[in-house]
Amino acid sequence: MATYDLIVLGGGPAGYNAAERAAEGGMKTLVIEGRALGGVCLNEGCIPTKTLLYSAKIYDYAKHSQEYGVSFDGAKIDHGAVVDRKGRVVKMLVGGIGATMKKLGVDVVYEKGTILGRDEQGFKVKAGDTEYAGKQLLICTGSVASVPPIPGLRESVASGFAMTNREILDMKTVPEKLVVIGGGVIGLEMASYFNSVGSNVTVIEMLDHIAGPTDREISNILLKNYKKKGINFLLGAKVTSVGDKCVNYELEGKQESAPCDCVLVSIGRRAMTEGLGLENIGVLTERGAIVTNDEGRTNVAGVWAAGDVNGKLMLAHTAYREGEVAVNNMLGKKDVVHYESIPSVIYTNPEVASVGETGESIKAKGLDAVAQSFTLKYSGRYIAENEGGDGIVKIIIDREHRNILGVHMIGNYASEIIYGAAMMVEKKMRVENVRKMVFPHPTVCEVIREGLFQM
Ligand code: NAI
């Protein structure tokens, strides 16, 4: 039987990054991947959506070019060509990971893996007809879209009328009417794309706000922007059933129906642990997710988990870090994930990016903190490039120590700026320290520095 120092189950961002680090650290490593390297992120998540959204952004710019003294008559978007390009981008990146695995001497088996048990050779995993043994086991099997038992929903997914993030990315035509169930990250990004390319989009969200835990002042600006662009938001609405060419919902005690050509279900994801054989080695799960500590350890010595499968913070960049933290600990270099300073981004147009405490979380935790918002119009570059833009940056500091607890932005480039704010939060930087740093001019990030002078 082939034996390894490490068997990684799942080749998404947590798994492939961990495998790279393990191989660099001298571990003989095997990755078992049931579908394609890159996982959801590369194949049906982060990268494909960003490819689509970039095409939509170009199209939006063309449609609004006259505001900037430029005219493109008859700008058109070819959704089929956009989807084809997405396929090429994905293929290139997935190929790149395969090449890296090869270069580093990581073996990759394309089969679904099942944990059989443990003996003196290590943890036994079956993939296809072959059994492998690993001294250590890292589980990175990710997550799948939740499809709750709403009457008619599962049948609609089976018939293709309702889709998850996976299927909608390959849809070759633009629906005239699209209903999105769930106004979270996936729902908003896809609603943004289909709104740009001409669909009549309705978002049904059960909460009274969109974008989940995003700072409410920021999510309200996003809501205003997208209402203006023509998306219909039904907030505080409960989906009661999915019918023939419609989604039925209850709003303010009344039964209503939203007719549509297709439905996107984006109401969260659940950890992928079914059928893995976790019970054969006694790995503890909680609500279907593997329980880990901040070093990536499970309750079983030698078994680790990273990425969405731990149900903590389902983001690809969290998964990368969790994978490498687990490997560092395997190699005897103590390391932990600092969850409190992990940034998040919603790639709408305008973009939303956040890190740390929000206006709501400081109240809930009773923190003695100050939250102040600043218009991005303090930035000359923002004004030059955003006709009618209403972006802000909101900064949250600790009143006594004056260290930065949170930064939230809505406005383009926010996705590229937020890592700097994440460093401020991670390093518990004080307002006075950041004021002494020089930010490039003219940029949108200058508003953070300007804001700190007013706090
Ligand atoms: P989500 O958790 O972001 O949002 C789900 C939304 O659906 C919530 O607002 C919730 O209140 C609502 N909801 C739940 N049940 C409902 C029902 N029956 N009717 C109406 N609304 C309902 O989940 P989403 O958007 O599916 O994304 C899944 C995961 O993927 C998230 O963890 C997210 O962080 C990650 N992701 C991250 C991206 C990014 O970082 N840019 C992009 C896409 C996904």
Side-chain angles (χ1 to χ4, degrees), residues 182 184-186 189 205-207 266-269 314-315 345 347:
V185 195
I186 295 180
E189 291 185 356
E205 166 58 55
M206 67 180 186
L207 301 176
S266 48
I267 57 163
R269 301 181 65 81
M314 293 188 174
L315 298 168
V345 175
Y347 294 86

Side-chain angles (χ1 to χ4, degrees), residues 233-408:
F233 288 94
L234 304 169
L235 302 181
K238 185 173 179 284
V239 174
T240 49
S241 66
V242 177
D244 183 23
K245 297 253 166 210
C246 67
V247 175
N248 304 311
Y249 60 95
E250 192 184 308
L251 183 60
E252 291 166 354
K254 279 197 213 132
Q255 272 298 328
E256 309 272 357
S257 187
C260 55
D261 304 303
C262 58
V263 180
L264 168 67
V265 197
S266 48
I267 57 163
R269 301 181 65 81
R270 62 182 171 81
M272 193 35 237
T273 51
E274 281 158 20
L276 279 181
L278 293 179
E279 62 287 355
N280 296 332
I281 48 171
V283 173
L284 192 66
T285 59
E286 215 176 79
R287 274 177 278 124
I290 297 180
V291 179
T292 56
N293 68 2
D294 56 8
E295 295 180 5
R297 294 178 199 271
T298 69
N299 62 310
V300 179
V303 182
W304 311 72
D308 287 9
V309 76
N310 66 24
K312 287 183 181 171
L313 197 52
M314 293 188 174
L315 298 168
H317 46 279
T318 306
Y320 282 130
R321 178 74 187 130
E322 288 173 337
E324 71 194 18
V325 162
V327 169
N328 283 341
N329 286 303
M330 287 176 209
L331 293 168
K333 296 180 269 183
K334 187 172 160 54
D335 200 359
V336 292
V337 181
H338 294 160
Y339 288 97
E340 64 286 356
S341 54
I342 294 178
S344 63
V345 175
I346 311 177
Y347 294 86
T348 38
N349 186 10
E351 295 172 350
V352 168
S354 319
V355 63
E357 303 293 350
T358 62
E360 290 68 43
S361 72
I362 54 171
K363 279 189 200 124
K365 293 179 185 172
L367 300 179
D368 186 17
V370 185
Q372 223 174 309
S373 301
F374 307 94
T375 170
L376 295 185
K377 289 180 192 151
Y378 281 140
S379 155
R381 184 169 188 201
Y382 185 79
I383 294 187
E385 297 184 3
N386 293 274
E387 274 299 324
D390 56 358
I392 62 164
V393 59
K394 180 167 183 171
I395 306 175
I396 298 180
I397 64 166
D398 173 280
R399 196 185 301 271
E400 188 190 346
H401 302 103
R402 295 182 56 74
N403 50 324
I404 296 156
L405 300 178
V407 177
H408 308 274

